Amino acid sequence: MSEYAMPEQVNSALRWRCRRGMLELDILLNEFIDKKYTLLDNSQKEVFDQVLDYPDQLLFDLFLGHMESSDTKVSDLVQTIRQSASV
Amino acid sequence: MNIEDIPRRRFDALIIGAGGGGLRAALQLAEADASVAVVSKVFPTRSHTVAAQGGMNAALANVLPDNWHWHMFDTVKGSDYLGDQDAIEYMCRAAPKAVYEMEHFGVPFSRLDNGKIYQRPFGGQSQNFGGEQAARTCAAADRTGHAILHSLYQQNIRAKTHFFDEYFAVDLLKDEQGNILGAYVFDIHSGEELIIEAKTTLLATGGAGQLFRTTTNALINTGDGMGMALRAGMPLQDMEFFQFHPTGIAGRGMLITEGARGEGGYLVNAKGERFMERYAPSAKDLASRDVVSRSIYTEVKEGRGCGPEKDHVLLKLDHLPEDVLQSRLPGIRQTCITFLGIDPADQPIPVYPTAHYTMGGVPTNRHGQVVIPVKDTPEEPVTGLYAAGECACVSVHGANRLGGNSLLDILVFGRSAANHIIEYLKENRFHKVIDEKVIKQAYNRLHRWDTNSGDESVDDIRHELQKVMEENCGVFRTQDVLNNGVEEVSKLAERLKNASITDQSELFNTARVEALELENLMDVALATVYSAAARTESRGAHSRVDFTERDDKGWMRHTLYTSEERKLDYKPVRTKPMSVDSFPPKPRVY
Ligand SMILES: Cc1cc2nc3c(=O)[nH]c(=O)nc-3n(C[C@H](O)[C@H](O)[C@H](O)COP(=O)(O)OP(=O)(O)OC[C@H]3O[C@@H](n4cnc5c(N)ncnc54)[C@H](O)[C@@H]3O)c2cc1C
């Protein structure tokens, strides 16, 4: 993360990585960033960072419950992200 | 940085956009040993093609009898006779090969028990020129777009295509003779600018769903290539035709694939009536998209909508066997649970039309060459410029695209554009000289955002634009509504001149990217409302309450909008196919 040292830059870099090829992911990730991201601790932020590197289809499958990660840190985060979207 | 210090790179071909269209073209070129650069504002496999769940059409006849000529008939009819029949014939004939090619590149198409590719029925597909329902859509489960995009990306890596990932293309470079010489781009991470000189440039930047507030399209679909083309003096064709998908999740926008109705789902109004039986007695819920969208709109408008606001209808899937839902439509169930908190196995889904597909775009011929009117010729190719995919208008979709024809379009015309480029490169071995004047426009456009001190906000204007477009250029169109749209969008375009951004950093300045995207959206919105207000008929997705009939005498022609003076021009539809008889216009009933 060192290349994005300043706080606002972390923000824009992260936000850009939340721009995806599917509306569903845009909504889930952006609502999460707006509502919950700042509440994460550093190790959760690292998990989020790692999850953003997943391909869109995998993210879609995880967020929409077609698949579950065996890594509990990831599956916990996925749950939090899902909850930020339901109406 | 001064203009003369900006680094330059040279390629035979520059592809702007790494969706299915761009990647298919890039692969063809790289395999022919051309040097190819692909510029994409997001990582290639995050392009919007990844969202295409339903599948692609080809007359393989694996499930029901079929042939390319029936596919052609359906596409011409679906286009409400505005599609160019030479391009449609070309596409439908090329379709089976496009599927087999994708299979060869690694797309795992779903199979029948006999080992052949499974094909599902989609709206607007018929056997025998308008007869029984056909089954023409090939799918890799419900992740066809993902499979296509990833396979093509891997193939391109193997073929050594040069990728500029997360680079934003600002503008095309055009010399005084009108030749296109490449593009001005910058690296979103570092802000570093780059001039890409190319003997040929292909626009493959996708659609512009972000024009509307309720849309199925991801945030990246801001019509950038169309904006670039307009600023380079090219017209946009048939922009009044924007497809609204009939079944978006009400209030959210995302799509419930047509496959749901293909597998037996149907729509009901507040009285529980299967209202599609009234509007399309034969095809019912599988009628073409504009017919279904308009029917839903009418039900709601006439007070038969569901929910406390009576503002949507319901899509019923709860009668389908559990295993059909689970095996054929697993995605839909989870989408509803995640975004609505309901399970479609128990409860119907609230749906309403959502902006889905840009039928219009940069005018091209079937070789992907951008064609513009010059004096008395309606279609003169622009040297060095090509377009393919959703940003282009070739035009195979005419006034209304059929589901499953777009993935086909991007693959067929991505490939054919590349083939033409390969021929062009044989004759044109050298780069044309680019002088500073050519670069200046793009440079100024980008750097205007460094200095501007107006007090309008980019976010506010974008939201207002999306609302104005939805209300004044959506599924309900009258002269008053559209004229109001022209006025409101024009005001917003003026206000955009006074917009500024507070973030002036070089690194990851996404505020600047969003400002540039909004400029593109604004140009495309103007093209859309101006074109729509002028067309006084109903055809395909352009449905007018005050001109309810299709007017073939007056309007069987393509609209061409240019930014300079916001001028409209028209050209004839190409009604003559390549080898078969033409399909003359008939009433479009399903
Ligand atoms: C939810 C959904 C489902 C769909 N399902 C189907 C289906 O089942 N079957 C079907 O046939 N069609 C379907 N479609 C339509 C189809 O997916 C699209 O029309 C098609 O994928 C468009 O492909 P493309 O290559 O033209 O552009 P895209 O895939 O949109 O790619 C555009 C590319 O351009 C790049 N780009 C854009 N602007 C810039 C810029 N300024 N600088 C640099 N790069 C830029 C982007 O980064 C991206 O790489 C669906 C559409 C949606 C929204």
Side-chain angles (χ1 to χ4, degrees):
Chain A
M1 292 294 288
S2 58
E3 62 180 297
Y4 316 129
M6 287 156 57
E8 301 109 84
Q9 283 162 16
V10 171
N11 244 328
S12 337
L14 256 191
R15 271 190 191 282
W16 197 251
R17 291 171 70 208
C18 295
R19 283 259 213 144
R20 314 298 289 213
M22 299 174 176
L23 177 70
E24 288 84 347
L25 300 183
D26 282 341
I27 293 180
L28 284 160
L29 292 169
N30 284 295
E31 291 191 359
F32 172 74
I33 288 256
D34 288 340
K35 295 183 199 160
K36 302 234 173 105
Y37 177 74
T38 50
L39 307 176
L40 301 187
D41 64 28
N42 281 347
S43 83
Q44 288 169 315
K45 282 184 182 165
E46 266 169 40
V47 177
F48 185 62
D49 194 60
Q50 174 197 330
V51 163
L52 285 184
D53 279 340
Y54 292 180
D56 279 15
Q57 186 67 49
L58 176 56
L59 278 184
F60 185 89
D61 287 339
L62 285 172
F63 290 153
L64 289 154
H66 306 161
M67 226 181 241
E68 227 178 278
S69 172
S70 46
D71 180 340
T72 50
K73 284 189 193 149
V74 173
S75 57
D76 288 351
L77 180 71
V78 165
Q79 275 316 316
T80 319
I81 294 175
R82 284 186 77 162
Q83 279 152 14
S84 31
S86 53
V87 278
Chain B
M1 190 184 274
N2 295 321
I3 286 189
E4 58 273 18
D5 300 329
I6 295 166
R8 297 183 180 210
R9 298 282 301 269
R10 285 186 156 185
F11 294 90
D12 289 332
L14 164 63
I15 315 271
I16 306 178
L23 291 184
R24 182 65 193 86
L27 180 59
Q28 191 80 357
L29 285 158
E31 286 188 329
D33 289 329
S35 66
V36 195
V38 175
V39 171
S40 176
K41 65 180 175 179
V42 294
F43 190 76
T45 52
R46 289 179 198 163
S47 300
H48 197 52
T49 294
V50 80
Q53 301 167 321
M56 69 185 275
N57 296 340
L60 304 180
N62 287 354
V63 171
L64 293 170
D66 208 357
N67 71 56
W68 69 264
H69 203 186
W70 300 349
H71 183 187
M72 177 181 172
F73 169 81
D74 289 339
T75 306
V76 173
K77 178 179 171 189
S79 82
D80 223 351
Y81 300 90
L82 194 74
D84 287 335
Q85 297 193 22
D86 56 342
I88 295 175
E89 177 178 345
Y90 181 82
M91 179 179 82
C92 297
R93 275 178 180 275
K97 185 165 174 220
V99 171
Y100 300 138
E101 255 176 12
M102 282 303 122
E103 184 175 41
H104 175 71
F105 294 149
V107 174
F109 285 108
S110 304
R111 303 267 156 195
L112 295 160
D113 289 341
N114 66 10
K116 289 186 175 170
I117 292 173
Y118 167 72
Q119 298 190 279
R120 61 163 62 123
F122 247 41
Q125 299 176 353
S126 75
Q127 299 180 46
N128 218 355
F129 309 108
E132 298 284 291
Q133 175 74 39
R136 193 173 288 144
T137 307
C138 311
D142 56 1
R143 56 197 56 195
T144 316
H146 162 85
I148 287 176
L149 204 55
H150 279 255
S151 304
L152 284 174
Y153 182 64
Q154 293 307 331
Q155 295 291 335
N156 270 288
I157 295 293
R158 184 191 50 77
K160 304 210 167 29
T161 297
H162 190 106
F163 282 96
F164 290 93
D165 295 339
E166 300 191 312
Y167 272 67
F168 190 90
V170 178
D171 263 319
L172 295 168
L173 303 174
K174 182 172 114 172
D175 69 12
E176 276 176 354
Q177 290 73 47
N179 306 310
I180 299 299
L181 309 178
Y184 195 88
V185 308
F186 69 90
D187 179 351
I188 298 175
H189 286 244
S190 65
E192 270 167 35
E193 290 151 51
L194 178 66
I195 292 160
I196 300 187
E197 294 186 42
K199 296 173 199 160
T200 52
T201 302
L202 172 77
L203 292 169
T205 48
Q210 286 297 319
L211 279 176
F212 298 93
R213 185 171 49 177
T214 309
T215 176
T216 62
N217 284 201
L219 297 174
I220 46 180
N221 282 13
T222 50
D224 296 355
M226 299 176 194
M228 282 184 249
L230 280 173
R231 283 189 299 277
M234 311 297 152
L236 290 187
Q237 181 175 321
D238 295 340
M239 290 304 292
E240 62 272 43
F241 299 100
F242 206 103
Q243 183 172 73
F244 285 77
H245 194 288
T247 56
I249 291 190
R252 284 293 207 174
M254 72 277 291
L255 182 104
I256 301 295
T257 161
E258 212 148 29
R261 280 170 290 135
E263 301 291 353
Y266 60 86
L267 295 162
V268 295
N269 62 18
K271 296 176 171 171
E273 289 170 341
R274 283 193 69 171
F275 57 86
M276 282 312 300
E277 289 174 349
R278 270 188 273 125
Y279 299 93
S282 150
K284 299 191 185 96
D285 296 87
L286 287 174
S288 138
R289 288 182 176 170
D290 59 308
V291 174
V292 182
S293 291
R294 212 155 45 230
S295 309
I296 295 176
Y297 180 85
T298 309
E299 289 301 298
V300 168
K301 180 101 172 114
E302 293 179 358
R304 294 184 294 277
C306 307
E309 308 286 328
K310 291 175 166 289
D311 58 357
H312 58 261
V313 297
L314 296 172
L315 172 62
K316 272 177 81 66
L317 299 175
D318 48 2
H319 60 294
L320 295 180
E322 186 96 13
D323 63 314
V324 170
L325 268 182
Q326 206 49 45
S327 63
R328 298 269 165 80
L329 305 163
I332 289 174
R333 191 167 192 179
Q334 290 299 341
T335 300
C336 293
I337 293 172
T338 309
F339 293 98
L340 293 168
I342 63 166
D343 185 342
D346 308 324
Q347 280 182 58
I349 312 167
V351 293
Y352 196 70
T354 175
H356 187 49
Y357 185 85
T358 322
M359 261 85 66
V362 185
T364 70
N365 59 21
R366 69 187 142 84
H367 310 292
Q369 292 177 287
V370 173
V371 287
I372 62 173
V374 176
K375 294 202 184 96
D376 294 334
T377 357
E379 300 189 321
E380 191 64 28
V382 177
T383 308
L385 186 61
Y386 294 77
E390 195 170 333
C391 74
C393 184
V394 51
S395 133
V396 285
H397 310 301
N400 174 59
R401 175 190 73 117
L402 293 186
N405 263 357
S406 171
L407 286 178
L408 177 62
D409 162 15
I410 67 179
L411 296 172
V412 166
F413 293 104
R415 182 177 183 278
S416 93
N419 284 339
H420 197 278
I421 290 173
I422 291 165
E423 291 307 310
Y424 176 88
L425 291 171
K426 286 184 192 156
E427 309 286 314
N428 296 272
R429 292 171 178 273
F430 304 102
H431 285 86
K432 295 192 165 69
V433 179
I434 299 188
D435 66 29
E436 211 171 277
K437 260 206 303 228
V438 173
I439 299 161
K440 194 87 188 172
Q441 181 197 344
Y443 179 90
N444 287 346
R445 175 162 174 258
L446 178 64
H447 288 284
R448 126 172 183 21
W449 292 101
D450 302 344
T451 51
N452 197 285
S453 57
D455 52 10
E456 292 280 2
S457 123
V458 167
D459 269 356
D460 289 352
I461 296 179
R462 187 182 51 246
H463 287 133
E464 285 183 49
L465 177 67
Q466 290 168 332
K467 191 159 171 273
V468 165
M469 285 299 287
E470 187 153 298
E471 283 168 7
N472 297 282
C473 207
V475 287
F476 185 78
R477 297 179 175 191
T478 65
Q479 199 62 54
D480 286 349
V481 166
L482 291 164
N483 288 348
N484 193 46
V486 167
E487 210 173 295
E488 293 299 319
V489 177
S490 305
K491 278 190 212 153
L492 289 169
E494 277 308 304
R495 280 175 56 193
L496 182 56
K497 293 180 185 159
N498 290 317
S500 61
I501 52 176
T502 45
D503 185 354
Q504 296 298 347
S505 57
E506 282 294 308
L507 298 185
F508 251 112
N509 188 340
T510 48
R512 185 167 68 169
V513 172
E514 283 167 13
L516 293 166
E517 288 177 335
L518 179 60
E519 288 181 323
N520 290 323
L521 274 181
M522 193 62 80
D523 287 340
V524 176
L526 285 167
T528 308
V529 279
Y530 269 87
S531 304
R535 187 176 282 268
T536 48
E537 65 158 353
S538 284
R539 184 183 296 270
H542 177 69
S543 159
R544 296 206 30 173
V545 180
D546 45 356
F547 294 93
T548 51
E549 297 302 312
R550 196 178 73 197
D551 170 9
D552 291 327
K553 271 215 180 82
W555 284 106
M556 219 172 100
R557 48 189 183 150
H558 295 296
T559 306
L560 295 171
Y561 167 93
T562 28
S563 276
E564 203 186 357
E565 297 172 32
R566 299 182 185 167
K567 219 174 59 201
L568 291 168
D569 194 358
Y570 294 91
K571 70 175 182 185
V573 173
R574 297 171 76 95
T575 48
K576 205 173 151 15
M578 290 161 66
S579 70
V580 291
D581 287 343
S582 137
F583 291 110
K586 284 198 185 139
R588 199 165 62 104
V589 281
Y590 285 97

